[in-house]
Amino acid sequence: MRNLLSICLIALLFACNNNASKHAAKDSTITKEDDNSKADDITMQEVEGVYQGTLPCADCPGIATTIQLNEDSTFLIEQVYKDRNKGSAFYSLGTWSLSDSIVSLKGIKDGPSMYKATLNGLQQLDMQGKEIVSTGNLNFNLPRVANKSFNTKSNIPLEGMFVYYADSHLLTVCATGKTYPVELTKETVNMEKDYSALKKKDKEALLVNVEGTFEFRPSMEGDKQVLTFVVRKFIKFLPGEKCK
């Protein structure tokens, strides 16, 4: 009887220990999954900023690329194809969103528009949003830089709806739908004259083609710096037309 009782106690203790080990392993798995989910949990505020690097190019040494993701959900991309077009820069504007650490750029007509976001950079994905598998030593990463804005290499061509009234110049960019104050320059004065001659009513918005840069300027009220569009070249108004 004593031997039988000892055997039963040993079996019971073994079963309890085995069950506890299974629960511990399960808890460990849950903790690991939770840690991974936290690692992938990145917010738009954390992604905002400027990313720069050289991305692969099919028929050139590389594409010097700068992507600026703004806090108002707009983006600006500057691309310079090395050894092509005499170093000319190409620009894209639009709006961006973030889902499951994937940055999606709305407004890109040709080429990849999705990037995997981390706290340190962006990784370019293919047209379907999948990671690019390269057989060569190609780099698809754009590291983050310290600044949240950058100086463009040249003027940015764009279309927008322009309004001038009470000494205020406002431009709503077609590609983003965002409205910016316009810096008073010689080109802006030329725009004022044409606008006054073409408008049919007060505060009428007219479609305009311009070239310029986005820069921070003091606001008209207070010392706050606001993002402003500086017209470097006024091209023409397109009366009667709207943003496409």
Side-chain angles (χ1 to χ4, degrees):
M1 289 293 293
R2 289 181 179 177
N3 291 337
L4 180 60
L5 180 62
S6 298
I7 292 173
C8 291
L9 288 174
I10 291 172
L12 179 62
L13 288 173
F14 179 79
C16 290
N17 288 335
N18 190 39
N19 193 33
S21 298
K22 288 181 179 178
H23 281 293
K26 182 177 180 181
D27 292 341
S28 177
T29 302
I30 293 174
T31 302
K32 185 176 181 180
E33 289 176 354
D34 289 343
D35 288 343
N36 287 338
S37 64
K38 290 180 180 178
D40 291 336
D41 187 16
I42 188 169
T43 66
M44 290 188 71
Q45 290 75 20
E46 292 172 320
V47 175
E48 293 164 11
V50 177
Y51 303 84
Q52 290 181 327
T54 300
L55 296 176
C57 175
D59 55 356
C60 71
I63 308 171
T65 303
T66 300
I67 298 180
Q68 179 175 315
L69 302 178
N70 299 312
E71 63 181 358
D72 62 355
S73 298
T74 63
F75 71 83
L76 171 63
I77 299 180
E78 178 182 80
Q79 294 176 304
V80 179
Y81 290 75
K82 295 184 177 182
D83 294 345
R84 280 174 50 185
N85 303 308
K86 298 180 180 180
S88 298
F90 298 90
Y91 296 95
S92 300
L93 297 94
T95 57
W96 67 281
S97 60
L98 179 70
S99 179
D100 296 329
S101 300
I102 303 298
V103 173
S104 298
L105 306 181
K106 183 179 179 180
I108 301 295
K109 297 179 180 179
D110 301 305
S113 61
M114 288 178 279
Y115 296 80
K116 174 72 174 180
T118 68
L119 294 177
N120 299 317
L122 297 177
Q123 179 186 3
Q124 187 184 69
L125 304 177
D126 66 14
M127 301 292 282
Q128 287 71 44
K130 304 295 184 181
E131 185 173 346
I132 300 174
V133 179
S134 173
T135 55
N137 190 25
L138 300 179
N139 182 19
F140 293 92
N141 296 310
L142 295 173
R144 178 194 289 272
V145 299
N147 299 327
K148 285 198 171 184
S149 63
F150 72 103
N151 295 324
T152 57
K153 292 177 64 66
S154 58
N155 295 330
I156 305 167
L158 57 79
E159 281 190 340
M161 302 301 294
F162 176 80
V163 175
Y164 166 58
Y165 64 93
D167 293 331
S168 295
H169 308 80
L170 300 175
L171 181 69
T172 301
V173 179
C174 290
T176 64
K178 302 293 183 178
T179 302
Y180 303 90
V182 177
E183 178 84 351
L184 182 59
T185 63
K186 179 181 177 180
E187 292 296 298
T188 312
V189 173
N190 294 332
M191 290 175 64
E192 287 179 13
K193 295 177 181 178
D194 282 22
Y195 175 83
S196 299
L198 292 170
K199 70 174 183 176
K200 295 181 180 180
K201 58 183 180 180
D202 290 339
K203 299 183 181 181
E204 180 183 6
L206 298 180
L207 186 65
V208 66
N209 286 340
V210 292
E211 294 181 5
T213 55
F214 290 97
E215 301 176 19
F216 282 96
R217 293 285 191 271
S219 65
M220 297 182 66
E221 300 177 358
D223 299 329
K224 183 179 179 181
Q225 297 282 317
V226 295
L227 192 60
T228 302
F229 190 75
V230 182
V231 178
R232 303 297 182 184
K233 183 179 180 181
F234 164 54
I235 300 174
K236 63 179 178 179
F237 280 107
L238 300 170
E241 297 189 29
K242 302 294 182 181
C243 288
K244 299 179 180 61

